[in-house]
Amino acid sequence: MAKHIVVIPGDGIGKEVTDGAVEVLKKADDIYHMDLSYEWKDAGGTAYDKYGVPLPEDTVDACRKADAILFGAVGGDQWDHLEPALRPEKAILGLRKSLGLYVNLRPVKIADSMIEYSPLKPEIAKGTDIMIVRELVGGIYFGKRCESEIVDGAEQAWDVEKYSVPEVERITRFAMEAAKKRHGHVTSVDKSNVLASSRLWRRTVIKVQEEEYPDIRLDHMYVDNCAQQFAIHPSFFDVVVTSNMFGDILSDEAAVLSGSVGMLPSASIGEETSLYEPIHGSAPDIAGKGIANPIATVLSAAMMLRYSLNEDKAAEAIEKAVNETLEDGFRTGDIYRDGMKKVNGEGMTEAIIDHLK
Ligand code: IPM
Ligand code: MN
């Protein structure tokens, strides 16, 4: 049966990198006969310029019907002055909420061959393989907020951090299931020494583990300590489960540990459909120059094949092709070192396609 993919390039380098990933998917389809079909839709600042809104209804409708969504990136300085509801970021936040994409998976692995790119000392970076499971449709991102009010003559603004037991239970179960397929270790990150919402988070995680996953090793860390441990002992971690806000910050920290943000994929998973996107943003400074590294989006497409389309073999083949392309010395500017083969985005895409079997 045909598998339908909605591609949302978005802004900045989003178009270049999704184009590259679709080329790789088409080659994989030739080999593995997956019967993939594609449809392109607008979102972000690009959509605002065309239709006056960052997330057109038509885009959301197409996503609802899709088997999976491949997303580039949104954002750019030219839209920074817009009111919050019209900003490009609203596109991705709106998609997460309206499609119920409650899990964000961000794997960060430092392969031995890429260890020199890490800002960490090699002996600290070695063996790092973290799966961050970030709650994506709750917490302070979607809580009540007030942009501005005057109280006792002073202007103030506020945002509410709130979690319910069912919200924490479902993200905990997802993290526990992920750990089962990995090394059986979950670290839950919170700020329960200060926040009531974190205390509910922690006791809910403990209850789910005790009642449903007694074989999973569970520990807890305060978010500030976790930020330190990522930098001094990253190989301690297997699966990290945390709230929307803490996950946003910690996943960026974990991403830079690899030294190659241009290579990290992510998946945002819901009950009905899921969305796959590179971790890096829209990088307006290099957009349109053709030099953006497509690897993060290519690897996101591989995650899509694995998690949404049940095409594990094709996913593995793409991941292998990326590894071999890197082993053969192909490098875009962001990861270039003397003596390696410097290529632009298109060159990297072609090299990956040549390696794909
Ligand atoms: C991310 C991004 C988004 C977030 C922004 C663009 C709203 O930083 O996917 O991590 O904060 O979740
Ligand atoms: Mn972020």
Side-chain angles (χ1 to χ4, degrees):
M1 221 180 62
K3 299 181 172 103
H4 192 60
I5 299 167
V6 167
V7 183
I8 302 179
D11 308 324
I13 60 171
K15 176 168 181 344
E16 304 157 44
V17 295
T18 50
D19 280 352
V22 170
E23 279 183 53
V24 173
L25 281 172
K26 285 184 173 165
K27 171 75 188 286
D29 202 1
D30 288 344
I31 305 173
Y32 293 93
H33 309 294
M34 297 180 283
D35 205 1
L36 306 179
S37 63
Y38 306 86
E39 179 184 7
W40 276 261
K41 290 288 168 192
D42 290 308
T46 315
Y48 173 79
D49 288 345
K50 281 194 195 166
Y51 318 103
V53 287
L55 183 59
E57 252 324 294
D58 164 63
T59 298
V60 181
D61 286 345
C63 289
R64 281 214 176 87
K65 292 182 206 128
D67 291 303
I69 302 147
L70 185 66
F71 191 91
V74 289
D77 297 346
Q78 67 269 49
W79 301 293
D80 276 355
H81 66 281
L82 294 172
E83 62 175 276
L86 298 177
R87 291 176 64 103
E89 292 78 11
K90 262 284 165 196
I92 187 68
L93 296 173
L95 279 173
R96 288 172 186 170
K97 197 65 175 179
S98 50
L99 301 174
L101 309 177
Y102 71 99
V103 191
N104 189 220
L105 282 185
R106 298 190 171 183
V108 174
K109 191 170 177 168
I110 308 182
D112 284 350
S113 59
M114 299 302 283
I115 223 159
E116 58 169 311
Y117 292 95
S118 173
L120 300 177
K121 294 192 188 96
E123 63 272 24
I124 289 179
K126 198 172 170 46
T128 297
D129 181 2
I130 308 175
M131 179 64 86
I132 297 186
V133 178
R134 168 188 174 192
E135 198 291 326
L136 204 57
V137 291
I140 199 164
Y141 270 61
F142 293 98
K144 277 211 178 108
R145 69 177 101 253
C146 168
E147 291 290 333
S148 173
E149 67 180 10
I150 308 288
V151 173
D152 295 336
E155 185 185 10
Q156 61 181 25
W158 45 264
D159 307 86
V160 173
E161 168 85 341
K162 181 173 84 179
Y163 271 107
S164 69
V165 167
E167 281 176 311
V168 181
E169 281 174 346
R170 73 173 175 177
I171 194 73
T172 302
R173 290 192 184 105
F174 197 100
M176 295 283 161
E177 291 295 332
K180 262 192 193 169
K181 294 186 201 136
R182 292 172 49 97
H183 307 288
H185 176 202
V186 171
T187 303
S188 170
V189 176
D190 63 39
K191 188 70 186 173
S192 58
N193 49 346
V194 179
L195 304 177
S197 52
S198 278
R199 287 188 280 274
L200 176 135
W201 178 284
R202 190 178 286 215
R203 59 175 189 269
T204 306
V205 172
I206 291 173
K207 189 161 179 284
V208 170
Q209 185 270 340
E210 283 178 353
E211 290 177 1
E212 300 170 39
Y213 299 93
D215 297 337
I216 297 289
R217 180 157 71 95
L218 171 67
D219 40 45
H220 305 271
M221 230 177 242
Y222 297 141
V223 61
D224 48 352
N225 181 30
C226 180
Q228 294 183 333
Q229 298 306 318
F230 271 10
I232 60 178
H233 195 189
S235 59
F236 166 81
F237 298 93
D238 177 17
V239 172
V240 171
V241 64
T242 192
S243 65
N244 206 343
M245 182 84 222
F246 296 158
D248 178 48
I249 300 166
L250 289 174
S251 63
D252 264 33
E253 186 194 1
V256 293
L257 297 183
S258 76
S260 45
V261 176
M263 308 211 309
L264 296 179
S266 79
S268 301
I269 297 180
E271 311 276 358
E272 308 288 330
T273 190
S274 302
L275 178 150
Y276 299 82
E277 64 176 314
I279 290 210
H280 61 68
S282 57
D285 50 322
I286 60 162
K289 296 185 180 161
I291 57 175
N293 187 347
I295 290 183
T297 316
V298 170
L299 292 176
S300 301
M303 285 184 96
M304 174 173 83
L305 294 177
R306 176 172 297 119
Y307 291 106
S308 285
L309 306 181
N310 257 319
E311 296 283 358
D312 286 40
K313 272 198 186 142
E316 273 160 35
I318 290 176
E319 286 161 355
K320 194 157 169 262
V322 168
N323 283 337
E324 288 176 3
T325 301
L326 290 168
E327 276 163 21
D328 284 350
F330 290 91
R331 295 286 188 276
T332 41
D334 55 317
I335 48 172
Y336 179 73
R337 293 279 194 279
D338 274 351
M340 305 226 147
K341 299 173 192 156
K342 191 160 185 179
V343 288
N344 61 12
E346 187 56 37
M348 182 60 93
T349 301
E350 278 165 21
I352 295 168
I353 287 174
D354 287 342
H355 284 82
L356 193 55
K357 285 176 198 86

